[in-house]
Amino acid sequence: MLADSYYDDIAAEEWSESLLASSTYGAAISYSSGWYNSLSTVELLARCIYCEGGTAYTTEGNAVAWVILNRVHNSSFPNAPLGVITASGQFASVTRSSSETSSARTPSTSSSRWQNATYLACLMLTTTDTTEWKALVGNTINGQLYFYSYTIAKNNGGSPFSGTSSSSLYYNSTRITNVYVLGYGSVSSFTTLFADYSPTVYSRNIYYDYY
């Protein structure tokens, strides 16, 4: 398995380098309902990871990629990355409005975040083996299948999250579990999380599963 990880890492690196060297890769795209239809799977996947991971940390992109990978391995979701990210209503950066897809449509192609998203997309289309991913990317989160922007929740008074103890955490009145924020750790109280949150330390997303 270690040998497989080594060769898959090299393959993903070489693929990502060739993509990043292209002047057309990551070019700005005007909005339409099918703005992504002409893109290759690898480029759309990179754009999705780039946007959903936010502007601050490449580790957030790693966590988003893990959510996509976790869904690929879960029977409740499509079994391929393209199907996961284009499913209706699931990834705002791909399927929703002009404003919500803006970052994905206009990535900063000179940024380390874009380079990392491209590598992750190439790796996911090279291998979906979770053991290899743990070796190459690290086990950033703990199997979560969902995430939601902390910033949006915070700006709306914590909505749609609620709960003051680990046994009573909710998203839109539905109980959730395995709640985690990068840099903060496991969430046991939304009251505490929203009071203590530091945008320079903690991640932009709240990761979770339904109970």
Side-chain angles (χ1 to χ4, degrees):
M1 186 59 66
L2 288 177
D4 290 342
S5 298
Y6 172 79
Y7 289 114
D8 286 339
D9 180 39
I10 294 298
E13 286 280 7
E14 291 179 346
W15 188 5
S16 65
E17 287 174 5
S18 68
L19 290 170
L20 293 166
S22 170
S23 60
T24 59
Y25 177 73
I29 300 174
S30 298
Y31 178 74
S32 68
S33 58
W35 68 269
Y36 57 84
N37 287 337
S38 64
L39 294 176
S40 64
T41 297
V42 68
E43 182 169 352
L44 179 56
L45 185 56
R47 287 173 182 259
C48 177
I49 294 169
Y50 170 87
C51 182
E52 300 285 0
T55 60
Y57 317 104
T58 56
T59 50
E60 193 84 60
N62 295 354
V64 168
W66 265 111
V67 169
I68 296 170
L69 189 67
N70 292 338
R71 289 190 178 196
V72 168
H73 288 288
N74 188 289
S75 60
S76 296
F77 299 92
N79 62 2
L82 181 63
V84 167
I85 65 174
T86 57
S88 179
Q90 295 301 301
F91 287 84
S93 60
V94 176
T95 62
R96 294 188 184 172
S97 68
S98 176
S99 61
E100 290 171 299
T101 61
S102 178
S103 180
R105 290 185 293 102
T106 58
S108 174
T109 56
S110 63
S111 66
S112 59
R113 186 164 62 101
W114 175 242
Q115 293 165 10
N116 186 61
T118 296
Y119 167 75
L120 293 169
C122 290
L123 183 64
M124 194 177 300
L125 296 179
T126 300
T127 179
T128 58
D129 186 280
T130 55
T131 300
E132 288 190 56
W133 268 69
K134 288 175 184 177
L136 296 172
V137 179
N139 195 17
T140 308
I141 54 175
N142 187 33
Q144 286 89 345
L145 294 169
Y146 302 91
F147 62 90
Y148 188 93
S149 168
Y150 175 90
T151 303
I152 294 175
K154 176 70 171 179
N155 290 343
N156 287 280
S159 177
F161 294 97
S162 63
T164 56
S165 71
S166 58
S167 61
S168 61
L169 298 179
Y170 294 87
Y171 171 80
N172 281 337
S173 301
T174 300
R175 189 175 172 189
I176 57 177
T177 186
N178 198 20
V179 186
Y180 191 83
V181 171
L182 298 179
Y184 181 92
S186 297
V187 175
S188 60
S189 165
F190 282 121
T191 301
T192 302
L193 173 65
F194 289 130
D196 291 350
Y197 182 79
S198 171
T200 60
V201 178
Y202 306 145
S203 70
R204 76 185 291 263
N205 290 323
I206 299 170
Y207 298 87
Y208 62 96
D209 291 314
Y210 284 105
Y211 188 78

